[in-house]
Amino acid sequence: MERFLIVGGNRLKGTVRVSGSKNASLPILAATILNTGKSVLYEVPGLRDVSVMKDVLVYLGARIKCDKGCVEVDTSNIKSVEVSEELMRRMRASNLVLGALLGRFGRARLSYPGGCQIGTRPMNLHLKGLSAMGAAITEKFGYITAEASRLTGADIHLDLPSVGATENIMMAAVLAEGVTIIRNAAKEPEITDLQNFINGIGGCVRGAGTDTIKIEGVRHQDLHPVEHTVIPDRIEAGTHIVAAAITGGDVVVANVIPEHLEPLLAKLREAGVDLEVGDDWVRVCGARRLKAVDIKTMPYPGFPTDMQPQLTSLMCFAEGTSVITETIFENRFKHIGELRRMGAEIKVEGQTAIIKGTGRLSGAVVEASDLRAGAALVLAALASENGTVLEKVTHIDRGYERMEAKYNALGARIIRVHN
Ligand code: UD1
């Protein structure tokens, strides 16, 4: 078990560079399965979740070479179409290989990913989409098997704009016969990056970033090697921006696409955070006392659920009462009990948290229950009086590359303790 010892009270100052996006890298790595030859990806972050996806590809028979952020994947020799239960348990997003395996090989078998810390997270929309394209789906003994000699294009309306379902259906449709249309599709920037990768290997996808995506099926022999650079991670960037604001620091967050951050930046401006936005950077000067704001998580371009825990920490330091409503996942308030241990005054009623900004927290022994809850607690600890012991930081390593090194370079004091 690893933990962080965090000494609070230092204002963060300097420049921090954001790594490539986790949530773009995972589906793009899955989409390399479709390719006939090599896919070379740049700016792939060195994260635990990304390692699991690489392990899944190797398990299936792909050859992978890594050199820092560059990952070369050769999927020409993939033989297996089955992902073990152990790999599915290590990361839910392993389910993203379903569409690509089915599209390329006509068959895929995965252990059911089940629920997770932040909610039940079913796969019904993924499976409904694939069966509309002609796949026969069976669910038995905790495994999902999908089969189709060749998928056929279909007009699919998602009940809700699921990111994973949009990605899985998009990947399955690349090699299907005819045209697939996904309506009420997710509009997240990571979907546009996946579209760009697929088109780079010779697929034909249009409309990502809007709620209607059209995929014209191509033949496997029409696909070809590609080099692709993954977009910067907007959630990592957002976390650094809040780290600067919560510590009253002065930080330039570099390597960002500011447009992807707009749903967060709009809220922070409303709260009184001083922001300067450049072409590929955001500068945060957080010296003033912030105002409480209300937040409701929504699919992109609404306020991201993956930033809700970090904003909860920030609102503990704002003046007034904030109301935060979580509409995407049913179990995403686990950081709140831990923030209360640090002195936060927060009431939870169903999916709503009411935060009285007291302007101060004090260090305590707390635990990261999941990735973004862990990030929220790091931010709270950076701004707290006294020291904090944060347990289970492996959750944080799933989605942040060397978080403590990045913050220590800005003047924080975080020590990683093994065992
Ligand atoms: C992705 C992100 C995750 C982010 C989430 C929402 C990755 C690897 N993960 O997760 O960081 O928090 O988007 O922005 O990109 N749902 C169903 N049936 C389905 C699929 C989803 O009911 O078949 C529900 C989920 O339970 C949830 C909502 O739809 O309530 C959104 O989930 P979804 O967009 O699918 O999230 P993920 O793709 O799992």
Side-chain angles (χ1 to χ4, degrees), residues 61-138:
R63 278 198 295 264
I64 299 195
K65 278 197 233 158
C66 301
D67 182 16
K68 299 196 182 96
C70 172
V71 178
E72 189 180 299
V73 190
D74 182 349
T75 51
S76 45
N77 285 318
I78 285 191
K79 298 274 181 316
S80 171
V81 291
E82 184 164 333
V83 182
S84 73
E85 190 182 336
E86 190 269 326
L87 283 166
M88 289 300 300
R89 278 192 190 281
R90 276 167 63 195
M91 181 182 65
R92 211 199 113 80
S94 306
N95 68 8
L96 289 172
V97 299
L98 179 63
L101 283 175
L102 180 63
R104 176 164 167 193
F105 298 105
R107 184 178 148 85
R109 188 162 184 268
L110 312 183
S111 136
Y112 209 85
C116 82
Q117 291 294 333
I118 60 174
T120 48
R121 304 180 86 176
M123 279 189 70
N124 58 318
L125 302 176
H126 304 231
L127 302 182
K128 235 164 99 175
L130 299 176
S131 66
M133 297 170 75
I137 312 263
T138 42

Side-chain angles (χ1 to χ4, degrees), residues 22-24 26-27 49 91-93 95-96 118-127 160-167 186 188 190 234-235 298-300 304-306 327-330 332 371-372 398:
K22 166 177 92 71
N23 287 353
L26 295 175
D49 276 7
M91 181 182 65
R92 211 199 113 80
N95 68 8
L96 289 172
I118 60 174
T120 48
R121 304 180 86 176
M123 279 189 70
N124 58 318
L125 302 176
H126 304 231
L127 302 182
L160 52 91
S162 155
V163 174
T166 302
E167 292 168 342
E188 270 69 1
E190 293 75 21
R234 65 194 165 97
I235 305 300
M298 295 294 245
Y300 189 87
T305 173
D306 285 353
T327 74
I328 310 288
F329 293 112
E330 65 274 25
R332 209 163 199 185
L371 168 58
R372 306 302 170 187
R398 283 187 38 220

Side-chain angles (χ1 to χ4, degrees), residues 109-218:
R109 188 162 184 268
L110 312 183
S111 136
Y112 209 85
C116 82
Q117 291 294 333
I118 60 174
T120 48
R121 304 180 86 176
M123 279 189 70
N124 58 318
L125 302 176
H126 304 231
L127 302 182
K128 235 164 99 175
L130 299 176
S131 66
M133 297 170 75
I137 312 263
T138 42
E139 294 175 77
K140 256 196 209 154
F141 311 120
Y143 273 80
I144 301 167
T145 308
E147 287 171 294
S149 53
R150 189 175 178 197
L151 294 169
T152 45
D155 198 324
I156 296 162
H157 188 108
L158 295 179
D159 294 342
L160 52 91
S162 155
V163 174
T166 302
E167 292 168 342
N168 245 332
I169 296 166
M170 221 165 122
M171 288 187 260
V174 172
L175 296 175
E177 174 95 53
V179 176
T180 300
I181 296 174
I182 311 174
R183 300 183 196 276
N184 197 25
K187 295 186 279 215
E188 270 69 1
E190 293 75 21
I191 309 249
T192 308
D193 208 23
L194 177 63
Q195 166 178 283
N196 291 342
F197 172 80
I198 292 173
N199 290 341
I201 61 174
C204 187
V205 187
R206 301 284 175 268
T210 75
D211 59 11
T212 306
I213 300 177
K214 189 171 164 192
I215 306 111
E216 279 180 50
V218 296

